[in-house]
Amino acid sequence: MSKLVLGILAHVDAGKTTLSEALLYTAGSIKRFGRVDRGESFLDGEEIERARGVTVFSKQARLCWKDTDIVFLDTPGHVDFSPETERTLSVLDYAILVISAPDGVQSHTRTLMRLLSKYHIPTFIFVNKMDLTEKTMDEVISDIREKLCPEAVMLPTGGGELSADNCGDEGIEEIAGFDEALIEEYFENGVLSEASVRRSVAGRRLFPVFFGSALHQEGITELLDGIAGLSEKKPVPGEFGARVYKIGWDKKGERLTHVRLTGGSVRPKDVIVTKRGVADEEGAVTDEISEKIQGIRLYEGERFEAVDGADAVEICTLLGLDNTYTGQGLGFEEDALVPELSPVLSYQVIPPKEVTAGKLFETLKVLNEEEPTFGMTHNEHTGDIMVQLMGPFQLEVLQQEIKRRFGFLVTFGPGKILYKETIASSAYGVGHFEPLRHYAEAHLLLEPGEPGSGIEIDNACPVDILSVNYQKQVVNVLERARLKGVLTGAPLTDVKITLVSGKSHTKHTEGGDFSQASRRAVRQGLMKAESVILEPVFDLVLRVPQSMVGRAMTDLERMHGKLLPPEIENDQALLRGRVPVACITDYARDVASYTGGLGELTLDPGGYEPCHNAEEVIEKAGYDPEADMRNPTGSVFCAQGAGYVVPWYEVEEMMHMPCALSSGEESEDEDAAMQRMALARAEAARRSAEAMEPKGFRGYSGMEKELEGIFVREFGEIKSSIKNRDVGKRERNYDDPVEREKRVREAREEYKAAHGSSSEKKPAAKLPRFTIIDGYNVIFVDNELKDLAKDDLHAARTKLLDIVADYQGYVGDEVIVVFDAWRKKGGTGSSERYGSLYVEFTKEAQTADAYIERAVHELMPGAHITVVTSDAAEQVIVSGSGAYRMSSREFFDEIKRLKMG
């Protein structure tokens, strides 16, 4: 009898929990098939899970099929609870990835598959809801291969070897083609043994696909047969090992440590080490802590059984342990990988008046143990308590959990974006810590890492320069430190830090000295590097009626989204892309409104990308890295029996060790030259910025105030300067009279290198594009709009604006729609926004024609302008000013042409 731990993962509403019910029911583990839509499911036992019909907390259950004992974990499907799903992956042997046949491969499906690859989890794919789609199995598997994994295969049921008899000639060759070992076996024997196929599945070289309907219990037996027949039994070490994947509390307040046993066994009263002796951020080694197991439970849903012991491979719950934490390795196990998915929003938690800040803090501390991504922080200056969350649903769950378990209702402040920082260039960072009777010096190389890689620590320091013990201290400190960037003080990520050199003192170096030196070296390197502010983005999938795709594309581009070409199917349009979290938070409400409930927006975490408004974020943060005393950029040296601080830009000249990237005297010259270049660049940027300060707003040549407002909003005020090119870089004044002349000369060279000499031929600048539309003229050319205007002029205007928004999505122009009000008594005119359109109502005694003529005159010749009107006189005037003309009828014809592709 073999045993394995199986996880079930899916995007929300794919039918994952229903599949869990079907598996348990078919295997005889439960006597009644519960339905999620009726709140009857065996695994969704929490009140909010039954009410919302979604899994919020991971649950476990057990079943036996043929000769295989299966412990399976049902994980949350909603994107807001993705971190809990990821934590579960560290204890799995195999996984079932559920895909809804009508929905196909979703963005979150791809995220889950990427995580399964990261944790090396062999995966079975179950395509659910086949009763609700007209797609064939071949069409579905083709889509999976194209969008998810090319190695997806349909294998014959019943087990045994694979051959042309049960797979077909093409089928057997296709299966073998995914694995070189299978190809060799097939050419040699003409068949594939069951053991060989199992090895390929275990090695993630084959991904078996099964089809069915969990609700109607179709395809469940075949799936269970496949799991039992295609899973390998792994060798189990006799030494004790376990991985903590979840912390919780029962109704009596008992602390629960949920673990996967990876080796050996455990019994009540066993003593295990729950806190190893390691160096903390200050380099001090903590004491090892051992604790006694007071009890062991096996859970199934909300029920549990107290047992006398548990053996390897089992998922069990240990009682009596107070120092365990999620992701912890016990026994021979190392801690789990740092989770890839992390919150993107931060909220202030506001307690009711009767609850003290201390009580709130203790409450959140308990919940933070269960959900470590909460990242609870306390602002000592304001007293605010902040939590980090994935989204609004998780916020709702947190609020209800506090009310249910602790008896009071909290509210939340507005969400704030959690930014991060990285570097775009390498830098050599040095740190020195030498107050009286202390000594440490660290030299680090900082390099940009791959997106999503986090902080990677490496060691290239020779042992004859710095002892192994001190090298380990530096590495341990950097691995545990919460490193901050220098632009906004946001967490640092996607950086590789390599220890390349260092120096200790035989008498004065103590435990925490290298902690100080190494962290100062990181900060000094960051001050020299080109830093970049990162913002969280969503992978989005937006489904709208085809007639609305222009409006949708315009909205998303206005939100700084990056879109793939739309996919058109029947009368539906599908948009895929990425968009900043900061820009799209409430857009689902807008989609429901402008599509009449026919649109569907799906958002999944897409990691971090360079920030679309870096300057604004940096300015708003107001962070000064040199004033951050907890994260100093300078170093400490000793003179005349006392320590003194040296600023970061002077540190390298005073280092006791030469730059480790070269050798000898030459390395010192090179190091000094690098420092001078960095200072010169900083000074050049400062002087360039000062030289190009705005000299005042000259206005748009007496343009009408309403239209001037449009142009100011679009292009900003006319200034005698240009914006600084270096977005995301903080410029400072490091004035040094000795270097002044050299810096000015280097500033000139930098400017020439960036802009070229005046004699060089420059490519023509791309002109901004405008379309200006005479609104009423267009309405009364189209029969449908004209008839509508007779009954409801406002409705006709709105209908036209929807059409124009669709048009804008195709052409990408800035569009101004002008409605004249020259006959309206007392009309003062107004400017409005409709989506990304500018809508202008003229004032009394002013026609739309006059308005458009003035706008064209002011914009030309620095823009490409198209005027849409059927007024012959107006067409002559605007074309004489250099604008392009388009009749109202041609405008509608152009829309039809664009839609036809």
Side-chain angles (χ1 to χ4, degrees):
M1 181 74 71
S2 63
K3 178 179 285 189
L4 61 87
V5 178
L6 180 75
I8 304 184
L9 299 83
H11 63 83
V12 69
D13 293 332
K16 172 183 53 59
T17 301
T18 303
L19 176 60
S20 299
E21 292 284 319
L23 291 170
L24 290 171
Y25 182 75
T26 302
S29 295
I30 58 176
K31 296 180 179 179
R32 182 169 176 265
F33 180 76
R35 289 185 54 149
V36 174
D37 56 348
R38 298 173 184 168
E40 303 169 341
S41 59
F42 176 72
L43 292 173
D44 285 346
E46 299 292 342
E47 181 179 337
I48 192 169
E49 293 178 319
R50 293 186 181 275
R52 296 291 292 267
V54 297
T55 302
V56 173
F57 309 102
S58 60
K59 300 289 195 324
Q60 64 199 56
R62 290 169 168 76
L63 62 85
C64 181
W65 190 256
K66 296 187 174 178
D67 61 346
T68 305
D69 279 336
I70 300 174
V71 181
F72 74 83
L73 300 173
D74 184 21
T75 64
H78 196 285
V79 65
D80 280 10
F81 303 96
S82 299
E84 176 150 355
T85 298
E86 183 178 359
R87 288 194 295 272
T88 305
L89 299 185
S90 66
V91 300
L92 300 182
D93 293 316
Y94 289 83
I96 302 173
L97 182 60
V98 186
I99 298 174
S100 167
D103 297 335
V105 175
Q106 300 288 294
S107 174
H108 192 47
T109 314
R110 288 190 288 269
T111 299
L112 293 172
M113 182 59 89
R114 185 180 71 248
L115 292 175
L116 289 165
S117 175
K118 174 183 175 180
Y119 289 88
H120 309 292
I121 308 297
T123 304
F124 301 97
I125 298 172
F126 183 77
V127 181
N128 193 22
K129 303 184 182 181
M130 285 298 292
D131 56 316
L132 300 179
T133 184
E134 295 180 357
K135 300 175 185 176
T136 66
M137 292 183 182
D138 288 337
E139 289 173 336
V140 172
I141 203 164
S142 176
D143 185 60
I144 292 173
R145 287 176 175 175
E146 179 183 348
K147 298 177 180 178
L148 193 66
C149 62
E151 305 87 355
V153 294
M154 290 187 288
L155 300 175
T157 58
E161 65 183 19
L162 304 185
S163 66
D165 293 336
N166 56 11
C167 297
D169 291 333
E170 292 185 4
I172 188 67
E173 291 178 4
E174 182 182 58
I175 294 169
F178 291 119
D179 188 345
E180 289 187 7
L182 293 183
I183 292 175
E184 292 180 6
E185 182 176 345
Y186 175 67
F187 284 140
E188 184 175 339
N189 303 323
V191 297
L192 301 176
S193 68
E194 190 174 17
S196 298
V197 175
R198 279 199 296 265
R199 282 194 295 271
S200 294
V201 172
R204 288 180 55 85
R205 296 182 293 276
L206 289 179
F207 294 82
V209 181
F210 301 88
F211 296 85
S213 169
L215 183 61
H216 299 292
Q217 301 167 48
E218 297 171 355
I220 307 303
T221 299
E222 291 80 3
L223 175 61
L224 286 168
D225 285 343
I227 293 169
L230 294 172
S231 57
E232 275 195 326
K233 183 178 181 181
K234 297 181 180 179
V236 177
E239 181 185 359
F240 167 72
R243 171 70 47 73
V244 181
Y245 73 94
K246 185 178 178 180
I247 298 294
W249 274 261
D250 67 11
K251 294 179 180 179
K252 295 181 179 180
E254 288 267 18
R255 190 175 190 270
L256 309 176
T257 299
H258 300 277
V259 303
R260 155 74 185 269
L261 294 179
T262 56
S265 60
V266 289
R267 301 287 182 271
K269 307 304 179 184
D270 282 355
V271 176
I272 61 174
V273 175
T274 55
K275 191 172 184 181
R276 296 164 178 163
V278 297
D280 61 16
E281 289 189 17
E282 298 300 327
V285 178
T286 59
D287 293 332
E288 184 175 277
I289 296 177
S290 297
E291 295 182 278
K292 184 183 293 185
I293 297 173
Q294 300 297 338
I296 302 174
R297 295 175 181 175
L298 301 182
Y299 272 86
E300 290 197 63
E302 296 296 311
R303 304 193 302 244
F304 70 84
E305 175 190 3
V307 296
D308 294 332
D311 298 321
V313 187
E314 186 63 82
I315 294 284
C316 63
T317 302
L318 307 180
L319 280 66
L321 307 180
D322 296 324
N323 290 282
T324 49
Y325 54 86
T326 301
Q328 182 181 17
L330 301 175
F332 66 77
E333 284 284 0
E334 297 292 329
D335 284 0
L337 297 173
V338 176
E340 178 180 322
L341 301 177
S342 60
V344 296
L345 296 168
S346 176
Y347 295 87
Q348 178 190 355
V349 187
I350 305 170
K353 292 182 179 180
E354 66 272 14
V355 175
T356 65
K359 182 177 180 180
L360 175 63
F361 188 84
E362 290 303 315
T363 297
L364 293 174
K365 187 177 178 182
V366 170
L367 296 174
N368 199 183
E369 286 193 65
E370 299 177 12
E371 179 49 78
T373 58
F374 276 170
M376 181 181 62
T377 58
H378 179 229
N379 189 312
E380 297 177 356
H381 302 291
T382 64
D384 294 342
I385 296 177
M386 309 292 292
V387 293
Q388 299 175 4
L389 301 170
M390 293 291 290
F393 187 27
Q394 192 180 22
L395 191 74
E396 178 187 341
V397 170
L398 176 61
Q399 185 181 50
Q400 293 191 21
E401 280 293 286
I402 293 174
K403 175 66 175 176
R404 181 179 68 85
R405 293 170 54 180
F406 302 97
F408 60 90
L409 185 67
V410 299
T411 55
F412 299 92
K416 299 179 180 178
I417 299 298
L418 292 172
Y419 295 96
K420 294 185 180 182
E421 294 183 33
T422 189
I423 57 175
S425 64
S426 299
Y428 190 82
V430 292
H432 190 92
F433 186 69
E434 192 187 0
L436 187 63
R437 298 188 181 88
H438 291 268
Y439 188 96
E441 182 168 303
H443 292 228
L444 306 174
L445 176 63
L446 279 62
E447 300 172 280
E450 292 295 322
S453 61
I455 302 296
E456 181 183 352
I457 309 300
D458 198 6
N459 185 3
C461 182
V463 293
D464 58 339
I465 292 179
L466 187 65
S467 71
V468 173
N469 181 46
Y470 289 133
Q471 290 183 27
K472 288 182 177 179
Q473 283 191 26
V474 173
V475 171
N476 286 337
V477 164
L478 294 177
E479 286 178 341
R480 288 168 172 76
R482 297 178 179 177
L483 302 175
K484 297 170 65 175
V486 296
L487 297 177
T488 64
L492 189 67
T493 189
D494 300 344
V495 177
K496 181 180 179 181
I497 304 175
T498 304
L499 173 64
V500 293
S501 183
K503 187 175 182 180
S504 63
H505 191 283
T506 54
K507 183 177 180 181
H508 296 309
T509 299
E510 296 186 358
D513 293 353
F514 271 102
S515 171
Q516 288 284 342
S518 56
R519 288 191 292 178
R520 291 170 188 268
V522 171
R523 298 285 285 178
Q524 198 263 353
L526 291 175
M527 294 297 288
K528 293 162 55 179
E530 179 186 352
S531 290
V532 178
I533 189 83
L534 302 175
E535 67 179 343
V537 297
F538 281 137
D539 287 329
L540 73 88
V541 178
L542 175 59
R543 188 184 299 274
V544 296
Q546 185 176 345
S547 60
M548 305 285 184
V549 67
R551 162 72 186 272
M553 291 176 68
T554 301
D555 286 350
L556 294 171
E557 287 167 2
R558 176 170 47 85
M559 297 173 192
H560 305 277
K562 301 174 183 176
L563 300 176
L564 296 173
E567 303 171 26
I568 307 298
E569 183 177 340
N570 298 325
D571 59 348
Q572 293 284 307
L574 194 67
L575 294 174
R576 302 181 189 274
R578 298 165 75 82
V579 65
V581 171
C583 301
I584 200 171
T585 307
D586 298 319
Y587 188 56
R589 203 174 306 157
D590 295 342
V591 171
S593 175
Y594 74 72
T595 64
L598 299 177
E600 181 183 353
L601 176 66
T602 303
L603 300 172
D604 291 301
Y608 278 75
E609 291 185 351
C611 187
H612 76 279
N613 60 335
E615 289 181 333
E616 179 184 341
V617 171
I618 292 169
E619 181 179 357
K620 187 175 181 180
Y623 179 72
D624 183 356
E626 295 176 75
D628 188 345
M629 295 296 100
R630 294 190 175 185
N631 299 276
T633 58
S635 288
V636 179
F637 290 82
C638 188
Q640 299 180 350
Y644 65 98
V645 176
V646 175
W648 69 269
Y649 47 86
E650 296 178 4
V651 164
E652 293 180 21
E653 300 173 4
M654 303 186 65
M655 280 290 148
H656 296 180
M657 294 285 290
C659 171
L661 299 184
S662 300
S663 58
E665 195 66 32
E666 180 182 347
S667 67
E668 294 183 0
D669 293 341
E670 181 183 349
D671 200 24
M674 288 176 62
Q675 175 69 6
R676 286 196 300 273
M677 288 169 62
L679 292 172
R681 285 195 297 271
E683 181 66 3
R686 183 188 69 81
R687 291 179 178 277
S688 207
E690 286 184 350
M692 295 187 291
E693 279 296 312
K695 299 299 190 288
F697 178 48
R698 299 199 307 271
Y700 284 87
S701 305
M703 183 186 292
E704 290 289 336
K705 185 177 180 181
E706 300 92 336
L707 192 58
E708 179 179 305
I710 293 176
F711 299 154
V712 169
R713 288 195 298 270
E714 173 61 27
F715 299 106
E717 299 175 346
I718 297 178
K719 302 172 184 176
S720 57
S721 67
I722 60 174
K723 292 185 178 179
N724 191 287
R725 294 173 290 104
D726 296 328
V727 177
K729 296 173 67 175
R730 183 179 292 272
E731 297 143 6
R732 294 181 172 72
N733 178 14
Y734 308 116
D735 199 18
D736 183 351
V738 177
E739 296 290 325
R740 188 182 306 257
E741 184 177 350
K742 184 178 295 184
R743 290 172 181 168
V744 172
R745 184 172 65 251
E746 291 174 341
R748 290 197 192 102
E749 294 298 321
E750 180 178 342
Y751 185 85
K752 287 180 181 180
H755 299 279
S757 66
S758 58
S759 62
E760 293 176 342
K761 185 177 181 180
K762 298 182 176 66
K766 185 177 181 180
L767 296 178
R769 296 176 60 93
F770 285 86
T771 296
I772 306 176
I773 298 175
D774 186 338
Y776 288 134
N777 185 284
V778 174
I779 285 176
F780 288 100
V781 164
D782 181 77
N783 291 332
E784 182 181 350
L785 290 175
K786 182 168 61 176
D787 291 343
L788 182 60
K790 291 176 182 178
D791 298 325
D792 189 339
L793 187 59
H794 173 74
R797 285 197 301 263
T798 302
K799 178 69 173 178
L800 173 64
L801 293 177
D802 286 336
I803 293 171
V804 172
D806 195 40
Y807 169 79
Q808 185 189 42
Y810 285 104
V811 299
D813 292 6
E814 290 298 335
V815 179
I816 306 170
V817 183
V818 184
F819 296 101
D820 61 35
W822 68 281
R823 292 179 180 174
K824 185 176 181 180
K825 284 209 174 270
T828 58
S830 65
S831 301
E832 299 176 5
R833 292 299 298 271
Y834 188 87
S836 60
L837 303 178
Y838 295 101
V839 182
E840 295 296 315
F841 292 89
T842 66
K843 58 188 177 183
E844 183 183 5
Q846 183 186 32
T847 65
D849 294 350
Y851 190 102
I852 293 170
E853 290 165 21
R854 175 61 65 89
V856 172
H857 174 74
E858 294 296 339
L859 284 171
M860 297 299 294
H864 180 289
I865 304 173
T866 300
V867 175
V868 178
T869 181
S870 289
D871 187 308
E874 182 67 9
Q875 287 181 344
V876 172
I877 293 172
V878 298
S879 61
S881 299
Y884 294 83
R885 61 186 181 181
M886 180 187 294
S887 72
S888 299
R889 180 56 57 198
E890 289 172 335
F891 173 68
F892 286 107
D893 290 342
E894 178 67 0
I895 290 175
K896 291 179 182 177
R897 185 190 67 80
L898 291 170
K899 287 187 175 181
M900 291 176 65

